[in-house]
Amino acid sequence: MSSVTQTIRQVENASFLVVEGNFPLDKNVIAALPQGSRITSANEFGSSAWTATARINVISDDKTSKSYFLKCAAGKVGARMLEGEHNAMVALHAVTPSFVPQPLTWGKFRAPDPEMYFFLCDFVDMDIRLPDPVQFCSRLAELHRTSESPTGQFGFHLPTFQGKFEQPVEWDTNWASFWSKLLVDILRRDNETNGPWEDLDRMSQRLLSRVVPRLLGALQADGRVLKPCLIHGDLWDGNIGTSFVTGNVFIFDAAAYYAHNEEEIGMWRCERHKIKSKVYKREYLKNFTVSEPADEWDDRNRLYGIKFNMFHSAHHTGQSSRNLAYNDMCYLVEKYAPLESDAEKDEDCALKG
């Protein structure tokens, strides 16, 4: 049980309504449900380290049963987190409505203390096993292909969160510049979580100053145009499910922004995820042509994977994902920005256990 869930269950005041089940509902949450909804139960559903989540079952005016997914978070950070998620889900749903649970709203609890916020969307009863690669990858490619950035730039109109961390997603016309800011931010957070590592710092600085401008800069060089595509932003297997009712694949818990589409599947390179299976990359690339320079696709995928491994490391102390990111930095630096001498190379690129 998360600390947020414990807090909600311990609060006793007139702003909460105790209903059937184990999750009391704030009256502003109830008011946000569609008019005429009669609540039959509310129960904890799923798990999260920094939010509380529940399933609300209702009967509508027309006597049909309906369920909603509720997420709650505490404080000002919680407000920004859920506002970002709501806006991300709205943007995704607008492009591919049968691929994303319909978002309802987000708001603040009526209860003044503690300060709490909520996000509501349709509840989809899902099988959380790995999705059918053909359906899933074709739908994902459709999202990327048909989405259009409202500014023509990379970014999003307000911050979104990956996990508990806010992402710097201010608009930028240059993809290498935009992505560098994401990596710089998560490297800072990792340092705060795991402490300084001099070798990682030296290698990441070389990656940022030499490799990123070369490898990602090439996407917009020599007259090439790179389309900003709406991505989910945190698309590991835990944020994908298949409806038991319709068989449709759904994505949720979004950290969306407009990006190079290939960044989306950089997460699939990470060893800890079941979706690392090569069948998913193959199916996706059947539906979305590799960006030019095409022969650098795998190196870009490796680079994008570094960011996702660093996100994981920044959330958890002592994880192998930090070493994996470092080793990938060494590989790319060796290939695109070799160090000055063999002695320097041996010192900086020695693999860390």
Side-chain angles (χ1 to χ4, degrees):
M1 182 189 303
S2 73
S3 60
V4 179
T5 304
Q6 291 176 323
T7 299
I8 291 172
R9 293 179 66 173
Q10 289 168 1
V11 171
E12 294 183 8
N13 62 48
S15 296
F16 279 82
L17 178 67
V18 177
V19 298
E20 183 72 23
N22 63 5
F23 202 95
L25 295 177
D26 183 84
K27 290 183 179 179
N28 280 358
V29 173
I30 297 170
L33 294 169
Q35 188 173 4
S37 297
R38 182 171 63 84
I39 298 168
T40 57
S41 63
N43 286 284
E44 294 174 33
F45 185 89
S47 61
S48 172
W50 37 83
T51 63
T53 52
R55 174 179 178 172
I56 303 173
N57 297 315
V58 307
I59 295 178
S60 303
D61 268 345
D62 61 3
K63 308 302 181 186
T64 59
S65 298
K66 176 82 175 176
S67 296
Y68 297 95
F69 177 77
L70 170 68
K71 180 180 286 189
C72 307
K76 299 299 183 186
V77 172
R80 291 171 68 82
M81 179 187 294
L82 298 185
E83 181 183 21
E85 180 170 353
H86 173 70
N87 279 267
M89 294 288 280
V90 166
L92 292 166
H93 186 268
V95 180
T96 49
S98 62
F99 194 39
V100 181
Q102 183 170 4
L104 220 62
T105 190
W106 80 282
K108 185 178 182 180
F109 276 23
R110 186 176 302 180
D113 185 38
E115 183 180 1
M116 299 286 293
Y117 296 84
F118 66 92
F119 162 68
L120 276 170
C121 69
D122 279 358
F123 178 89
V124 179
D125 197 12
M126 288 183 276
D127 184 344
I128 59 172
R129 289 177 295 183
L130 285 173
D132 172 65
V134 174
Q135 182 196 159
F136 169 60
C137 292
S138 64
R139 298 305 311 279
L140 183 62
E142 178 189 359
L143 167 67
H144 295 162
R145 189 170 51 251
T146 58
S147 57
E148 295 287 343
S149 168
T151 65
Q153 300 179 49
F154 303 100
F156 205 62
H157 63 279
L158 82 176
T160 56
F161 280 65
Q162 184 172 358
K164 64 181 179 180
F165 294 135
E166 183 173 310
Q167 304 181 112
V169 292
E170 295 85 3
W171 297 111
D172 197 324
T173 58
N174 184 283
W175 172 241
S177 167
F178 177 86
W179 192 85
S180 292
K181 286 178 279 191
L182 290 174
L183 185 60
V184 166
D185 185 70
I186 201 57
L187 286 167
R188 173 183 63 82
R189 294 184 185 277
D190 174 74
N191 187 276
E192 293 170 354
T193 300
N194 290 291
W197 179 8
E198 186 177 349
D199 291 340
L200 177 66
D201 183 60
R202 286 201 303 269
M203 198 57 59
S204 63
Q205 290 305 314
R206 195 169 187 89
L207 186 85
L208 285 160
S209 64
R210 302 282 295 277
V211 178
V212 173
R214 161 63 186 84
L215 196 54
L216 300 189
L219 293 163
Q220 292 178 288
D222 301 323
R224 298 187 185 100
V225 176
L226 186 64
K227 175 184 181 287
C229 302
L230 185 62
I231 67 169
H232 175 282
D234 192 15
L235 201 54
W236 66 293
D237 32 278
N239 288 337
I240 308 164
T242 304
S243 168
F244 284 117
V245 176
T246 66
N248 286 347
V249 176
F250 285 86
I251 59 175
F252 50 91
D253 200 10
Y257 52 90
Y258 292 88
H260 179 209
N261 67 292
E262 291 177 10
E263 192 199 9
E264 185 88 277
I265 63 175
M267 179 169 272
W268 302 357
R269 195 181 189 99
C270 301
E271 285 296 317
R272 63 188 174 276
H273 295 316
K274 297 176 184 178
I275 203 168
K276 67 184 179 182
S277 170
K278 291 181 180 179
V279 66
Y280 289 98
K281 287 182 185 176
R282 285 200 302 266
E283 282 299 326
Y284 178 81
L285 295 177
K286 287 179 184 178
N287 290 277
F288 206 116
T289 304
V290 168
S291 298
E292 294 292 345
D295 60 347
E296 295 176 359
W297 180 88
D298 190 64
D299 290 335
R300 293 193 298 268
N301 186 251
R302 185 185 297 270
L303 180 65
Y304 294 146
I306 289 171
K307 191 202 79 172
F308 289 114
N309 271 327
M310 292 308 302
F311 258 106
H312 184 260
S313 177
H315 278 88
H316 311 281
T317 57
Q319 295 295 307
S320 63
S321 49
R322 198 185 202 201
N323 290 321
L324 291 170
Y326 174 75
N327 292 344
D328 281 337
M329 289 181 192
C330 289
Y331 175 90
L332 292 172
V333 166
E334 169 72 11
K335 184 170 183 178
Y336 290 95
L339 298 167
E340 298 299 328
S341 67
D342 288 340
E344 184 183 9
K345 185 189 308 179
D346 291 342
E347 178 184 353
D348 279 355
C349 285
L351 301 182
K352 303 298 176 180

